[in-house]
Amino acid sequence: MSGVRTLVLATRNAKKVPEMRAILAEAGLDIEVVGLDAYPDAPDVAETENTFTGNALLKARAVAAHTGLPAVADDSGLRVDELNGMPGVLSARWSGRFGEAAGDRDAANLDLVLDQLADTPEERRGAEFVAAAALVLPTGREHVVEGVFRGTLTTGPRGGNGFGYDPIFVPEGETRTTAEMSAAEKNAISHRGIAFRALARELLALG
Amino acid sequence: MSGVRTLVLATRNAKKVPEMRAILAEAGLDIEVVGLDAYPDAPDVAETENTFTGNALLKARAVAAHTGLPAVADDSGLRVDELNGMPGVLSARWSGRFGEAAGDRDAANLDLVLDQLADTPEERRGAEFVAAAALVLPTGREHVVEGVFRGTLTTGPRGGNGFGYDPIFVPEGETRTTAEMSAAEKNAISHRGIAFRALARELLALG
């Protein structure tokens, strides 16, 4: 048994909370997961670090300090081989479209990556989704893990599910993009699933 | 004495030919330099390699093969520390604006880099201009050198000289951007000057 009864997931994304709940339940952990909806005054933390683990820790620390509860935060993005691992931590703002709606910004970001790779042949179109997940306990103890999900980039978007770069990312061994998979299919193999399951094992080990 | 009497500089940029002539004369070399204007049928070589040296060699090989003369080609760009060395070989097409006039594309490229670095503090705004210069002789002998020019990036463009990323690049030990310097000042310290002077030494050593 882990000593943790409740944890706060440092996200306002409504889809991440049930994903985390399911992963903890699968791991045999009886832990209540609440999102930041329950904490409207929680601070908005700027992602100023240049690593995923650094940003996940920043957010988890701030939420643990604000709530007094164990907190989990994640940060994720796309690393493109031909772009030396960029957009990386800049994935959500790669095209510099700060002011636009998320859907338009997503489309601008992936269009820019496709343009930047316009002359890149198939064998050099490798990429990976990466997610860091950090757990910060009120005692100050910190755990951070990273999940990596390899694939290749298409030459044009395909599929309407998911978000971000999903329409151009084909996982290794797949022919579909992650935007052509259901949320459940993607969660079973994705970078955030890998990272959240690794954190679940950390929580089990804490008992 | 080098055996080389004439060399073709694989460029349609009219400013590079006199720069190369001056550098060879300074090195004491009596070599005639001609640009691609003299060879309207020379092939346009796509820069498909993902290194500056690879692209410079591609272009020099193609022009040496076409003209039967010693050929020099260069490829250059900006490596930004915070972008893991990108835009790199994609410097001229970083914003994906293929169809636009060079000036508009330059502005779009540097605006995008500034946006991508919007949250990057001064101490992490390091960057370097890099130029590779390749010499290919009709005998098949090849030489390739790289010049690196360190500096930092501003938060907004300054100056009207130069081209490309010059308005946002401040060389180490300077307070002006390279777009606030004269062409002569910039050539004396720049990445392409460093690379061309290194090739001039190679040509001297060939004698």
Side-chain angles (χ1 to χ4, degrees), chain A residues 67-128:
Chain A
T67 61
L69 288 170
V72 168
D74 70 297
D75 189 37
S76 62
L78 180 70
R79 289 201 288 234
V80 177
D81 296 352
E82 191 76 356
L83 302 178
N84 290 353
M86 300 307 294
V89 296
L90 300 179
S91 290
R93 39 196 160 141
W94 190 232
S95 60
R97 308 284 185 88
F98 298 102
E100 297 186 9
D104 295 344
R105 209 174 49 222
D106 281 0
N109 288 335
L110 73 80
D111 281 344
L112 177 57
V113 168
L114 290 179
D115 280 348
Q116 289 168 332
L117 267 61
D119 294 331
T120 302
E122 194 173 351
E123 67 273 17
R124 293 204 325 236
R125 297 180 77 87
E128 59 197 24

Side-chain angles (χ1 to χ4, degrees), chain A residues 165-189:
Chain A
Y165 298 90
D166 280 328
I168 62 170
F169 184 83
V170 176
E172 271 182 4
E174 261 290 340
T175 53
R176 295 172 301 170
T177 68
T178 42
E180 294 174 310
M181 298 180 174
S182 69
E185 272 182 297
K186 183 189 155 194
N187 291 346
I189 54 174

Side-chain angles (χ1 to χ4, degrees), chain A residues 47-50 82-86 89-90 93-98 112 115-121 124, chain B residues 47-50 82-86 89-90 93-98 112 115-121 124:
Chain A
E47 300 180 345
T48 54
E49 296 289 312
N50 54 7
E82 191 76 356
L83 302 178
N84 290 353
M86 300 307 294
V89 296
L90 300 179
R93 39 196 160 141
W94 190 232
S95 60
R97 308 284 185 88
F98 298 102
L112 177 57
D115 280 348
Q116 289 168 332
L117 267 61
D119 294 331
T120 302
R124 293 204 325 236
Chain B
E47 300 180 346
T48 54
E49 296 290 311
N50 53 8
E82 191 75 357
L83 302 178
N84 290 352
M86 301 306 295
V89 294
L90 301 178
R93 40 196 161 145
W94 190 232
S95 62
R97 308 284 184 90
F98 299 102
L112 178 57
D115 280 348
Q116 289 168 332
L117 266 59
D119 294 330
T120 301
R124 294 204 324 238

